[in-house]
Amino acid sequence: MFFLGHAAFMAIGAYTAAILTYFYNVPFILALLAGMIMSGLKCPRHYYSPG
């Protein structure tokens, strides 16, 4: 079974960090932490996470 769910969560965190640093001039470390938080949030009915 080929599972792409983990890559989707990594992409959410990467895009969050990139947008915060490029458009909002947030320091990279803070943007990285925000990306980690955004990728770790669970939506009520998501289908990408096994747990």
Side-chain angles (χ1 to χ4, degrees):
M1 179 194 274
F2 192 64
F3 186 67
L4 293 175
H6 298 298
F9 285 119
M10 287 178 12
I12 290 170
Y15 277 115
T16 301
I19 288 171
L20 286 175
T21 56
Y22 188 76
F23 291 114
Y24 296 106
N25 295 325
V26 175
F28 178 70
I29 298 299
L30 293 177
L32 189 64
L33 290 173
M36 289 166 56
I37 291 170
M38 286 299 293
S39 67
L41 293 178
K42 287 195 165 210
C43 298
R45 293 179 59 93
H46 61 67
Y47 299 103
Y48 297 114
S49 177

